[in-house]
Amino acid sequence: MGWARANLLNSRFNTALTVIVGITLVLVLWFAIRWIFEADWAVVANVGGRFLIGNYNSDQACPGNDCFWRPQVSLMMVTFLMGMGWGVAGSKLMRNLALITVGACVVLAFLPYSAERMGMDVRMLLVANVASMAGGWAFARYTRFGTVKWVVILSVVVFILSLVVLQGASFLGIQAVDSRQWSGLQLNLILAIVGIVLSLPIGILLALGRRSHLPVVKWLCVTFIEVFRGVPLITLLFMSQHLVPLAFPATFPRNDLFNAGVVIMLFSSAYMAENIRGGLQALHPGQAEAARALGLASWQTTLFISLPQAIRNVIPAIVGQFISLFKDTSLVYIIGMLDIVNIARKAVEGRVEFQGAAPEIFLFVGIVFWIFTYTMSYVSRRIERNLGVGDR
Amino acid sequence: MVFKRAVIILVVLAAMVAVFAACASEEDEGDGGETAQEATGSRLQAIQERGRVVCANNDSLAGFGFLDDAGNTTGFDVDLCRAVAAAVLGNANAVEFRTTTAAERGPSMQSGEIDMMSRNTTWTSSRDATWGDFAPTMFYDGQGFIVRKADNISSALELEGASVCVLKGTTTELNLQDFDTQNSMNLTIVPFEDNTSANEAYLAGQCDALTTDQSGLVANASGFPDPSAHVILPETISEEPLGTVVPHGDDQWYDIVKSVMAMLIYAEAFGIHSGNVPSAETGDTAIDRLFGLSGSYGQDAMGLKDTAAQDVIRQVGNYGQIFDLHLTPLGLVRDGSRNALWNDAPCTACPKGGQIYAAPLR
Amino acid sequence: MPAFLRNLTYEGVPVWRHARIVQWAFQIVSGVAAVSLVIWFIANIGLAIDSRNIPFGFGFLDTEYQTPIGEHVIPYDPSNTYLYALVVAAMNTLVVAVFGIILATILGILIGVARLSSNWLVSKLALVYVEFFRNVPLLVQLLFWFFIILALPPVREGIVLLDALYVNNSGISVPGPSGFSSGAMLVIWMALAIAGIALGVLVHRKLAERELAVGGVAHPVLAGWAVAIAVIVGSWLILSVVTGTSPIEWSAPAPEGRFGRIAGGITLRAGMLVVLAGLVMYTAAFIAEIVRGGIQSVGKGQVEAGRALGLTPMGALRSVIFPQALRVIIPPLISQYLNLTKNSSLGGAVGFPELTGVGITMTQREPAISIFILIMLSYLAMSLTWSLMGNLYNRYISFERSR
C-alpha cells in the first residue's frame, strides 16, 4: 500500500494518470487475451521446424531428406562455444545465455509432433546440445584452452566449419545444398553474423578514413558512407541481384546469398562508421595529445588510445546497429529469399486452408525476433554496466 | 504550380541522364552481338553440364506454385518445369527452382540466368518482346470478379462506384484500369502486394469486389469462411493465356520446351498416362513415334533423347494428370472449359470443345 | 644500398620515409584504384547490357503509364507518363515521411518523458512499448498493422461522427478543401495569412521582452496566437463577404452510390494509415530513447534549481531541461528522420504506392535497372537533404558554443 502510494498515487495528476492508463491497459489486455484464445494457431504448428531451417531439408534442396543433421551440427558447435564462453567468463550472464539456449533446445525436442513430422533422430540431436554445452564448459575449465583467445579462434573456426557443413560438397561425402535454398531463421542468423562480424572493422576503417586529413581518402569514405546510408536497403538488395552480377565479367561465379550478405554488410558498415565517428568526435583532444607527448606514433595513438575509448563510449549505438542489422535481414523478401518472415508469409499465401491465419503467424515471428533482439540489447546493457560507461 | 515546376526540373534532369545513356550505349555498339551463350555453347549443353534446369517459379499461388508442408515447391506450373527436366536430363527432380517475386520476373528473365520461367505468366506481346519467347499456352484464364451475394449484383457493369481489390504488378491490374476507363465505372482501385492481403481486404469489406484470374477466384473462394456468401460474376474482362517462357536467343532450347509441352498434351490425347507408358512398340504409329519406339518427331535436331517422352510421362504424368493433381482440388472444373483438350487424338470426330492443343509431334 | 636510392631524397629525407610524399603516394594510389574499379564496373555493366540484350535506357519515361496508383496526394490519371507517375509516388513517400516525422516526434517525446515519469505504471508501460516496438522488424509490424486496420468496421457499418468524421477500414475521412474559386483571391488570402503569422510572432517577441524587462505576466504565447488566428480568420471572413465566395472551397465527406463509398473531403486511405501507423510506432520507440537520453544528460541540479525557482515539474521540463537536452537530442533525431524516410520504402510490402513500390510495379514492363537508378537517386536526394540539415545544426551549435 505504501509502495502504491509512493509510486502510483503521489499527486493528484499522477492518480488521475494511473486510473486512466490502468483502465486502458485492462481493456487492451482483455481484447488481446481474448484474441489469443480465439486465434487459430494451427498454422504456426504446421510450419513447425521450417521456421528454423526453412526448405533446407526439402526434397528439392536435399534429395533424400537426409540433410536435417547439418544445421543441427552447426547448432551443437554453437552451444559448445557458449558452454566454453560460460566456462571462461564464469559470469552469470554467460551462464544464463548458455542455459537458456540449451533449455530452448530441450523444449523443442519434446514438442508434441507426430513421428513423421519430427523423427526421433531430430529430437536426439536437439537433446545432444546439453552434452555439447557441458563439453564446452568442461573443455574451458579443465584444459589449457580455456582462454578468451581460444574462444575467439574457435568461434571463427566454428563459423567457417558451419558454412562448410551447410554448403556441403561431394568430395566431403555430403551432398551440396544450393545456398538459394538456405532459409528460415538460419538464413537470418547467417546473414546477421556475417554482417556483424565484418561491418565493425569496415566501419572503423571508414570512420578513420572520414576523419583523415588526406583529402582523397576522406572524400572516398564520405562518398561511400553517404551513398550507402542514403538509400533504402531494399533497393540495394534489389540491385545486388540485378546490377552487381553485371558489374563482373560473365565468367565470374555468382552466388545470390553472397551478394545479399555483402550488401547488407556494407550498408551496416556505413552506419557503423557514423557511430564510431561520433565516438571519436566526443573524445577530448587531450587524450591524443597526451599520447603524442608520450612518443606514440599516430597509428599507435589511434589504435591504442583513441579507438578503444571511442568504441567503449558508443557501445549502445554499436549494439543498436547490430540489432538493426538483424532486423534488416528480413528484407531479403524483396529478392525472393525465404527468411523466417517470408517463410511465414508463404505459409499463408499459397495455402487456401490457412488464408485467415496471417496475424497469428506474423505475431509469432515478431516474438521470435523480439527474443533475439531483446537478448542482444540486454547483453549490451550488461557490458555497459561492467565497463562502467556513464559513471565517470 | 509547384508540382509542375518540379516535374519540369525532373524532366530536364532525366533528359540529361538519357543523353548520357544514349552516348554511352553508342560507344558500345561496335562490339555487340555476342551473347553469353554463344561464348559458352548452347543452353542445352549448359544445362546438361550443370545437370539441372534453372526454373523461375512462384511460391505463393495455390495450385500453380506454392510451398507444401515439407518445403517443396509444387503445383501445376512447377510440374511443367519438371517435365522439361525429365525430357532433357532424364530426371524430373533435376530442377533448380529460383523463386522470383512478381517484380523480379522480368529482370531475372532478361539476365539470362534462368532457363525457363513457369510462373502463371500471361502471354502478352510486350512480354514476348522483352522477357522471352512464350511456349504453347498451357492454361487459359480470363479475369473475373467475385462479389458478395448480399450486394445483389449480377453483372460487372453494375459495379459503378465500387472499390475493387486487385493484385499489384499484374496484367489484371492493367485490365481493370482499362475496364474502368472504358465504361466510366468510377471504380476505386485498391492494389495489393499479395494474394492473401487482397483476399483479407475483400473479406473485411475494404473492397466490394475482388478481381483476378477466374482460376484464382475459384481457388480463393474455396478458402473463404463461407464460400456460399460470395458469387463469381459471369463476365471475363480479359484474355489471360498462361504459359512458360524461355529466354530470347536460343531457338533450339525454345523448340525443346515447346515440344515437351506438346508431349504432355498428346500423351493425354492418346490416352497414355504415367501408369501405361509403353516401352516396346504398340503398333499405334503415333504413340510409338511420340515415345521414340519407331520413327521420329525431330528429336535429333532438337538434341533430345529418342525416348525423352517416356521419361516425361512416366515421371510427371500427362497434362490431364497434372491438372487433376493440382488444379482439380481447388475446385476448377476442366470438362467443358477452355482447358479441355481440343479432342481425343485417335478420334478426330470427337471434339472436346477445349483449346488445349499443340503442334503435332511428327 | 645502391647509390641512386640513397640520393632519392626530398628535403634531406629519403622519399620512402618522407611523410608528405608517402601520404600523397598513398592518396594517389587509392584514388586511382577506386576510380579504375568504378570504371571497370561501369564498363562491365555496359558490356553486359549490350551483349545480353538487357534493356536499359530512359526513353520510357515519357510514355503513358496506364496503371492505377491506389493512393495519391497529387492528381493522377492513368494517362499520365511514367515520369509523372514517379513524381506521384515520390510525393506519397514525402507525405508519409513528413506526417510520419511529425507524429513520431510527438509520440516519441511523450513516451520518452513517460519513461522518466515518477508514476510506476506509466514508466513501466513506456518501457514495454520501447522494448517491444524497437526490437521487432518494421516489416513484421507493417504486416501486423495491415490486419489491425482491416479489423475496423467496413465502410457501410463505419463510425460516423457529426457527419464529418468517417472512420472505417477503407480509411479516415474528414472535411477538407476541394479546390479554390479564384487563384488571385487564394494568393491574397495566403499573403494576409502569412502577414498575420508574422504579426503574431512580432507581438509574441515584444511581449516576451517586456515580460523580461518589466516583470509581471504578459501572456506572450497566448497573445501571439490570438493575433495570428484573428488575422487569418478575419481576412477569410472579410474576403468571403466582399466577393461572395470563400477563398478555398470546402467539401464534406458523404457516402455515395450503392456501395456507400465515401466521396468528398479529405480521405486518409487505409494503405497510408497502415504505413503511417507502422512507421510512427516504430520510430517513436527510437525517438523516446533519444529523448530520455537527452533529458538524463541534463544534470539533476538543473531540475532542482528550476523547482526552487517555483516552476512546476512540467514548467521545469519545458523551460529548463528541454532547451538544454535539445543539443544532445537533435543530431540522433535527424538520423532517425532519415531512417523513417528510407523505411517508408517498406510500404510497398503492404501495398502502399510509395516510390519503391511503384518502381517495382514499373519493372514489369520497363527496364528495372534504369528505374531503380532513378529511385535510388531520389532517395539519395532526400537523405542528403537531411544530412545537410544535420550538418547545419551541428555548425549552428558549435557557433553558439564558441560565442
Side-chain angles (χ1 to χ4, degrees):
Chain A
M1 203 55 222
W3 175 87
R5 193 163 295 156
N7 292 300
L8 295 175
L9 315 165
N10 52 359
S11 69
R12 225 180 304 158
F13 174 73
N14 259 343
T15 311
L17 208 59
T18 305
V19 171
I20 293 169
V21 170
I23 289 172
T24 324
L25 184 66
V26 167
L27 279 177
V28 169
L29 278 181
W30 166 247
F31 279 111
I33 289 170
R34 228 180 54 179
W35 181 78
I36 285 173
F37 280 105
E38 279 171 3
D40 178 15
W41 297 97
V43 64
V44 174
N46 189 54
V47 178
R50 289 207 296 128
F51 279 123
L52 301 176
I53 63 166
N55 300 341
Y56 187 82
N57 195 35
S58 68
D59 276 327
Q60 281 158 6
C62 173
N65 306 83
D66 56 355
C67 294
F68 61 91
W69 59 272
R70 283 148 71 170
Q72 295 265 18
V73 166
S74 309
L75 177 64
M76 265 196 263
M77 290 195 281
V78 172
T79 45
F80 181 86
L81 275 181
M82 292 185 92
M84 225 179 130
W86 172 19
V88 170
S91 68
K92 228 166 145 188
L93 179 67
M94 281 310 296
R95 188 195 68 192
N96 291 348
L97 278 181
L99 289 181
I100 289 170
T101 310
V102 169
C105 292
V106 173
V107 169
L108 286 180
F110 286 97
L111 286 180
Y113 277 112
S114 67
E116 305 99 77
R117 285 299 304 276
M118 189 172 175
M120 196 43 82
D121 37 11
V122 176
R123 294 175 198 264
M124 297 302 276
L125 281 169
L126 277 171
V127 174
N129 281 302
V130 177
S132 103
M133 190 213 60
W137 185 83
F139 185 69
R141 276 294 160 93
Y142 301 113
T143 65
R144 63 191 179 79
F145 297 108
T147 60
V148 175
K149 188 181 85 184
W150 279 100
V151 173
V152 172
I153 292 173
L154 281 181
S155 302
V156 176
V157 172
V158 161
F159 182 68
I160 294 168
L161 214 58
S162 299
L163 289 186
V164 171
V165 168
L166 286 177
Q167 172 61 54
S170 40
F171 66 85
L172 291 174
I174 47 178
Q175 59 180 317
V177 175
D178 182 16
S179 61
R180 269 291 317 193
Q181 301 282 357
W182 298 11
S183 37
L185 186 63
Q186 71 172 351
L187 175 68
N188 297 81
L189 289 175
I190 289 171
L191 286 173
I193 290 171
V194 173
I196 285 172
V197 171
L198 295 179
S199 68
L200 186 60
I202 294 180
I204 290 174
L205 285 181
L206 285 170
L208 293 176
R210 190 169 185 166
R211 281 172 61 82
S212 161
H213 54 273
L214 308 176
V216 175
V217 174
K218 182 178 174 184
W219 284 108
L220 281 176
C221 290
V222 169
T223 313
F224 180 92
I225 292 172
E226 291 299 337
V227 167
F228 271 80
R229 248 166 55 98
V231 296
L233 182 56
I234 59 170
T235 60
L236 286 173
L237 280 170
F238 190 88
M239 285 305 212
S240 81
Q241 305 299 302
H242 298 296
L243 188 66
V244 172
L246 303 184
F248 294 94
T251 48
F252 261 53
R254 171 188 166 147
N255 185 327
D256 295 348
L257 181 66
F258 180 81
N259 288 356
V262 168
V263 160
I264 292 179
M265 185 264 289
L266 290 178
F267 179 80
S268 181
S269 65
Y271 272 87
M272 204 62 83
E274 286 300 275
N275 289 335
I276 290 165
R277 186 172 72 113
L280 287 170
Q281 261 172 353
L283 276 191
H284 196 277
Q287 296 282 339
E289 282 158 17
R292 284 292 179 78
L294 287 172
L296 270 68
S298 71
W299 65 270
Q300 287 170 319
T301 312
T302 309
L303 199 60
F304 300 124
I305 308 294
S306 306
L307 264 183
Q309 297 190 62
I311 291 177
R312 197 181 90 134
N313 284 344
V314 291
I315 282 179
I318 290 177
V319 176
Q321 184 51 39
F322 288 163
I323 293 175
S324 284
L325 190 151
F326 183 59
K327 287 184 297 180
D328 282 347
T329 57
S330 65
L331 301 188
V332 292
Y333 81 90
I334 193 80
I335 52 177
M337 285 188 183
L338 290 165
D339 78 307
I340 184 170
V341 181
N342 214 4
I343 286 270
R345 285 181 94 171
K346 301 303 174 191
V348 289
E349 259 174 42
R351 304 293 296 275
V352 172
E353 62 268 40
F354 293 126
Q355 246 169 25
E360 287 89 340
I361 203 163
F362 291 140
L363 185 67
F364 176 79
V365 169
I367 291 170
V368 171
F369 260 98
W370 183 84
I371 290 171
F372 278 87
T373 46
Y374 185 76
T375 311
M376 283 160 86
S377 67
Y378 174 74
V379 171
S380 135
R381 275 198 301 260
R382 290 297 294 260
I383 293 174
E384 241 178 284
R385 205 189 307 163
N386 290 351
L387 289 178
V389 177
D391 338 315
R392 277 169 304 160
Chain B
M1 266 320 281
V2 180
F3 301 131
K4 262 193 191 151
R5 201 172 305 152
V7 173
I8 292 166
I9 291 170
L10 266 176
V11 170
V12 172
L13 278 178
M16 281 159 61
V17 177
V19 168
F20 170 72
C23 294
S25 62
E26 250 168 33
E27 280 169 11
D28 287 340
E29 251 161 43
D31 53 9
E34 191 195 44
T35 68
Q37 293 131 35
E38 273 169 54
T40 56
S42 75
R43 190 170 285 275
L44 179 64
Q45 266 176 343
I47 290 169
Q48 280 165 345
E49 274 163 32
R50 199 191 306 135
R52 274 177 330 222
V53 175
V54 179
C55 170
N57 69 294
N58 193 349
D59 59 1
S60 52
L61 184 63
F64 288 87
F66 64 99
L67 287 172
D68 66 8
D69 281 343
N72 293 311
T73 321
T74 52
F76 180 84
D77 284 336
V78 171
D79 273 357
L80 301 184
C81 283
R82 296 180 63 234
V84 173
V88 296
L89 299 167
N91 178 6
N93 293 326
V95 187
E96 182 181 327
F97 288 101
R98 195 68 70 80
T99 301
T100 41
T101 59
E104 273 198 309
R105 54 186 168 171
S108 302
M109 283 307 288
Q110 288 154 353
S111 73
E113 300 284 330
I114 284 168
D115 297 323
M116 65 182 290
M117 172 158 76
S118 181
R119 196 196 174 287
N120 52 287
T121 303
T122 304
W123 181 7
T124 66
S125 55
S126 64
R127 286 174 175 180
D128 209 339
T130 55
W131 289 6
D133 294 316
F134 278 75
T137 301
M138 295 302 271
F139 191 88
Y140 287 93
D141 223 329
Q143 184 177 349
F145 295 91
I146 192 167
V147 294
R148 272 175 279 277
K149 217 170 235 171
D151 281 337
N152 275 325
I153 297 170
S154 55
S155 156
L157 291 168
E158 291 172 43
L159 282 171
E160 196 167 339
S163 154
V164 183
C165 290
V166 66
L167 278 188
K168 214 166 70 173
T170 56
T171 45
T172 40
E173 188 188 19
L174 304 177
N175 297 329
L176 180 65
Q177 182 67 61
D178 287 352
F179 177 70
D180 179 28
T181 318
Q182 270 161 21
N183 302 302
S184 354
M185 302 285 289
N186 191 21
L187 298 178
T188 308
I189 298 176
V190 193
F192 287 94
E193 185 70 12
D194 56 63
N195 207 23
T196 315
S197 315
N199 283 343
E200 294 285 346
Y202 166 70
L203 287 174
Q206 202 176 69
C207 310
D208 304 306
L210 171 71
T211 180
T212 183
D213 295 345
Q214 295 274 4
S215 65
L217 291 180
V218 172
N220 288 342
S222 71
F224 287 169
D226 179 13
S228 63
H230 305 271
V231 55
I232 297 178
L233 296 178
E235 291 98 337
T236 50
I237 61 166
S238 71
E239 293 300 325
E240 308 278 343
L242 310 182
T244 53
V245 197
V246 299
H248 281 304
D250 190 330
D251 289 344
Q252 183 199 19
W253 176 240
Y254 182 32
D255 294 338
I256 291 174
V257 173
K258 282 193 287 191
S259 302
V260 174
M261 300 303 135
M263 287 174 202
L264 298 172
I265 294 170
Y266 277 99
E268 188 191 4
F270 296 148
I272 306 292
H273 52 81
S274 55
N276 65 354
V277 177
S279 45
E281 279 191 57
T282 59
D284 184 325
T285 45
I287 293 178
D288 288 348
R289 189 167 49 239
L290 172 58
F291 291 102
L293 303 170
S294 74
S296 151
Y297 55 88
Q299 288 103 318
D300 286 347
M302 284 187 275
L304 281 179
K305 262 192 316 186
D306 279 350
T307 57
Q310 291 190 20
D311 292 327
V312 173
I313 305 303
R314 212 170 268 143
Q315 296 183 26
V316 185
N318 65 29
Y319 181 92
Q321 284 180 296
I322 300 175
F323 195 104
D324 286 342
L325 181 62
H326 299 295
L327 301 182
T328 307
L330 294 180
L332 289 178
V333 180
R334 187 168 173 227
D335 286 337
S337 78
R338 298 165 78 184
N339 293 312
L341 290 186
W342 78 108
N343 68 9
D344 282 326
C347 164
T348 41
C350 318
K352 293 210 149 180
Q355 284 179 304
I356 295 297
Y357 180 75
L361 286 169
R362 69 174 301 139
Chain C
M1 190 183 283
F4 73 91
L5 269 184
R6 220 174 303 139
N7 292 334
L8 217 58
T9 57
Y10 177 69
E11 292 176 348
V13 184
V15 289
W16 61 91
R17 297 190 57 185
H18 192 287
R20 222 174 326 141
I21 289 182
V22 169
Q23 282 173 0
W24 272 107
F26 176 67
Q27 289 210 72
I28 290 168
V29 168
S30 57
V32 168
V35 169
S36 43
L37 193 68
V38 169
I39 290 176
W40 188 64
F41 282 158
I42 292 175
N44 275 332
I45 291 170
L47 198 70
I49 284 174
D50 207 40
S51 64
R52 299 191 214 167
N53 282 324
I54 293 170
F56 182 77
F58 295 90
F60 67 92
L61 282 174
D62 52 5
T63 56
E64 285 190 16
Y65 183 41
Q66 295 185 330
T67 307
I69 294 182
E71 292 159 64
H72 41 84
V73 286
I74 58 175
Y76 169 77
D77 187 84
S79 62
N80 291 133
T81 61
Y82 273 83
L83 182 65
Y84 185 77
L86 275 177
V87 174
V88 171
M91 284 307 295
N92 276 344
T93 295
L94 274 180
V95 165
V96 162
V98 169
F99 279 103
I101 282 169
I102 294 170
L103 294 173
T105 310
I106 296 170
L107 187 62
I109 291 175
L110 275 179
I111 293 169
V113 172
R115 278 277 268 131
L116 299 170
S117 163
S118 62
N119 187 318
W120 181 86
L121 190 61
V122 170
S123 75
K124 284 292 171 252
L125 265 185
L127 177 69
V128 169
Y129 176 93
V130 168
E131 291 296 353
F132 182 78
F133 283 93
R134 209 168 53 146
N135 285 327
V136 173
L138 178 60
L139 178 65
V140 179
Q141 294 191 28
L142 283 174
L143 291 169
F144 205 73
W145 279 109
F146 178 83
F147 290 99
I148 291 182
I149 300 282
L150 278 190
L152 290 171
V155 64
R156 273 171 281 178
E157 297 147 29
I159 304 159
V160 185
L161 273 180
L162 304 170
D163 275 345
L165 175 71
Y166 287 76
V167 180
N168 51 62
N169 65 10
S170 298
I172 296 176
S173 306
V174 290
S178 59
F180 49 90
S181 41
S182 86
M185 204 159 89
L186 184 70
V187 170
I188 293 172
W189 176 69
M190 280 173 83
L192 285 172
I194 290 169
I197 292 169
L199 196 65
V201 171
L202 197 72
V203 167
H204 168 85
R205 278 237 177 115
K206 283 281 169 226
L207 286 180
E209 271 169 28
R210 215 183 67 182
E211 223 177 20
L212 275 182
V214 185
V217 183
H219 296 297
V221 181
L222 205 66
W225 276 110
V227 168
I229 291 173
V231 173
I232 293 170
V233 174
S235 61
W236 174 288
L237 288 175
I238 292 166
L239 278 173
S240 304
V241 168
V242 169
T243 60
T245 57
S246 56
I248 296 177
E249 278 168 7
W250 211 253
S251 83
E256 199 184 77
R258 70 185 292 174
F259 297 101
R261 293 285 148 192
I262 308 295
I266 293 179
T267 300
L268 212 55
R269 300 269 292 268
M272 191 179 272
L273 281 178
V274 170
V275 177
L276 267 183
L279 285 174
V280 167
M281 302 292 265
Y282 182 74
T283 314
F286 289 90
I287 293 180
E289 281 302 275
I290 293 170
V291 168
R292 179 182 67 100
I295 293 176
Q296 281 179 334
S297 74
V298 179
K300 233 186 150 122
Q302 299 278 339
V303 191
E304 283 153 11
R307 295 301 301 278
L309 286 173
L311 290 167
T312 59
M314 272 296 153
L317 194 65
R318 198 169 60 83
S319 18
V320 178
I321 300 172
F322 239 72
Q324 299 186 63
L326 225 46
R327 194 170 280 185
V328 185
I329 288 174
I330 284 195
L333 194 64
I334 286 180
S335 132
Q336 281 308 320
Y337 290 170
L338 167 68
N339 283 346
L340 188 145
T341 312
K342 288 199 302 171
N343 282 337
S344 70
S345 64
L346 290 184
V350 285
F352 179 69
E354 42 66 54
L355 202 46
T356 315
V358 170
I360 286 175
T361 311
M362 286 182 175
T363 63
Q364 293 296 301
R365 276 167 296 158
E366 299 302 340
I369 296 174
S370 322
I371 291 167
F372 266 75
I373 288 176
L374 288 179
I375 291 174
M376 288 168 90
L377 286 177
S378 320
Y379 280 111
L380 206 55
M382 294 184 217
S383 305
L384 289 179
T385 314
W386 280 123
S387 289
L388 194 70
M389 283 163 83
N391 286 345
L392 283 180
Y393 180 79
N394 268 340
R395 202 164 294 173
Y396 168 74
I397 283 290
S398 46
F399 173 71
E400 286 263 283
R401 258 189 206 155
S402 62
R403 207 160 45 163

